[in-house]
Amino acid sequence: MNILENLLIAHEGKTLEFKEGTKSTLNIIKSVIAFANTAGGTIVIGIQDKTKEVLGVAHVLQEEERMANIISDSIEPLLIPDIEIVNYKNKELIVINVPYLVGPYYLKNTGLEKGIYIRLGSTNRLADAETIAYLQRLGRQISFDEIPCVGAHINELDDKTILKTLRPILKNIDKKHYKSLGLTTLHHNKSYPTNAGILLFGMNRFRWFPDSVIRCVCFSGTTREHIVDQKDVNNNLIAAVDDCIAFINRHTNMGAKIGSTKREDVPQFPPAAVREVVINAIVHADYAMKGVAIQIAIFSDRIEFTNPGGLPFGQTIESALSGISRMRNRVIGRIFRELKLIEQLGSGLPRILEIYKNKSGKMPILEEINNHFRATLFEITAPTKPEHEWELQLLKALSKEKSLSTKQIATLWKVTDRAARLRLKIMLERGLIKREAESKNDPKATYTAAR
């Protein structure tokens, strides 16, 4: 299967867009800008976006040249994407591959303030003031938590908590080390706490960051209809990790696995995964966003962790799961790493999935929802037994082959690919098998036995 076929079985999203033709030139340019500013992407021209019918592009050579010139003339700074003509099913298509680039890039005739677009899901959005500031900081290679919290006083940092927290790993730390740790910085020859300094150790944190609370809530069932308990975690961001975990432990169940000689307690959710997601939410939240806070919602069958800020610009779910890291909050990340709360950059999300890989139950869902990131952990289910002959047949085959593709499984069962996918969905939901894939619609997905 070639690259274009892979694109055509996917859906429009953060890094992919289909266009029927080149008439909507302005919308194509907006997409190019949005992809460049966000995480890169591909525009395929000559495909109907809803039906994915291959329409082709008439006078393709002239249109390809025209698009190249318009993109070059309409976008500031100069942006030159890779544009190619691809023949597919005897139709000519134009494929524009836009790399992620540190900008910000904007529509030249509307200017910097009104011409910057970013990608949210499958739509292009005009960047607001907070996003423009974020993009400009990226251009200067500065993160939000590194800049001074102008107006705050250096004495607002809680020296006692700083020393208590950091001395076990930085033996000789004192106030003169604050700057090298990123807790303070110079601004117009005056020392100020950084945003990270206030977020981590500020005694008046909520004066400067009123939304840096973590809102924990427990619901009685699988919906948000009835609240059982709720708590706002107001402790400093480092201590907040254990506070959040304590709330989760208080409202989740402990089961039991009976062995030959002793009973083994089995938590409803894997503790290592819970801890990893809590830390990930705190370290990667966008604290520049106003009016939103980190949220932890506990349901009877799952926990949803939602933090303000999607993935950092330049990153996709796929790249994050491959271990590529783009740290939104460099200072906070560095402090958490020094404290061994983070093992290494880029390891968090892959580790969450790895923890679940050998458990019985639904795999976690990691997703961007507009400008938020959500990780959903599902309860570990008790091991189930196969109920049908075809389930036994597949499990027997997987005990020998380790992993099989959908097509191989369809051949084994002597059914169509569609029928095989329906059966596989049933087995996945019952925790009998695991799916290994690069993405939700990965055509090369394989299946393994759950245990």
Side-chain angles (χ1 to χ4, degrees), residues 167-354:
R167 266 191 176 155
I169 47 113
L170 301 171
K171 304 292 183 185
N172 299 317
I173 184 175
D174 56 33
K175 285 189 175 183
K176 66 185 179 184
H177 294 103
Y178 287 6
K179 186 173 185 296
S180 63
L181 288 169
L183 302 180
T184 64
T185 190
L186 289 176
H187 180 66
H188 296 315
N189 295 318
K190 183 179 178 181
S191 186
Y192 287 93
T194 60
N195 288 332
I198 293 294
L199 284 163
L200 289 167
F201 302 113
M203 290 184 285
N204 300 315
R205 179 170 107 235
F206 294 107
R207 175 186 175 191
W208 307 104
F209 298 99
D211 303 307
S212 61
V213 63
I214 303 173
R215 303 194 187 285
C216 302
V217 60
C218 177
F219 299 96
S220 62
T222 59
T223 69
R224 295 176 181 267
E225 188 175 356
H226 298 295
I227 295 176
V228 174
D229 188 19
Q230 56 187 328
K231 177 183 180 180
D232 283 354
V233 174
N234 298 317
N235 217 333
N236 72 70
L237 297 185
I238 296 168
V241 174
D242 288 335
D243 289 351
C244 293
I245 291 172
F247 183 88
I248 292 168
N249 289 341
R250 190 162 67 247
H251 293 290
T252 53
N253 302 323
M254 186 69 71
K257 182 169 71 176
I258 308 299
S260 57
T261 58
K262 62 179 181 178
R263 167 194 166 113
E264 179 185 346
D265 288 332
V266 180
Q268 186 180 2
F269 301 90
V274 169
R275 187 172 188 82
E276 200 70 52
V277 180
V278 169
I279 291 172
N280 186 80
I282 292 172
V283 170
H284 293 285
D286 186 350
Y287 294 101
M289 287 179 65
K290 307 298 183 186
V292 287
I294 298 171
Q295 298 177 35
I296 299 175
I298 303 172
F299 301 88
S300 60
D301 63 340
R302 69 192 188 280
I303 309 175
E304 293 178 356
F305 304 81
T306 308
N307 59 273
L311 291 171
F313 288 134
Q315 194 166 46
T316 62
I317 295 284
E318 290 74 21
S319 64
L321 290 177
S322 70
I324 296 172
S325 174
R326 288 183 180 272
M327 184 64 70
R328 172 178 278 115
N329 300 303
R330 293 179 187 168
V331 178
I332 294 173
R334 187 190 316 151
I335 296 295
F336 270 64
R337 192 167 67 251
E338 291 284 358
L339 293 170
K340 309 301 182 189
L341 294 170
I342 297 175
E343 287 190 15
Q344 62 184 58
L345 296 181
S347 64
L349 295 184
R351 190 180 302 113
I352 293 163
L353 297 189
E354 189 63 32

Side-chain angles (χ1 to χ4, degrees), residues 417-433:
D417 286 1
R418 184 174 182 276
R421 284 193 291 270
L422 290 173
R423 287 183 176 185
L424 288 167
K425 183 180 178 183
I426 292 170
M427 293 185 71
L428 283 167
E429 289 173 348
R430 295 182 57 233
L432 291 168
I433 58 173

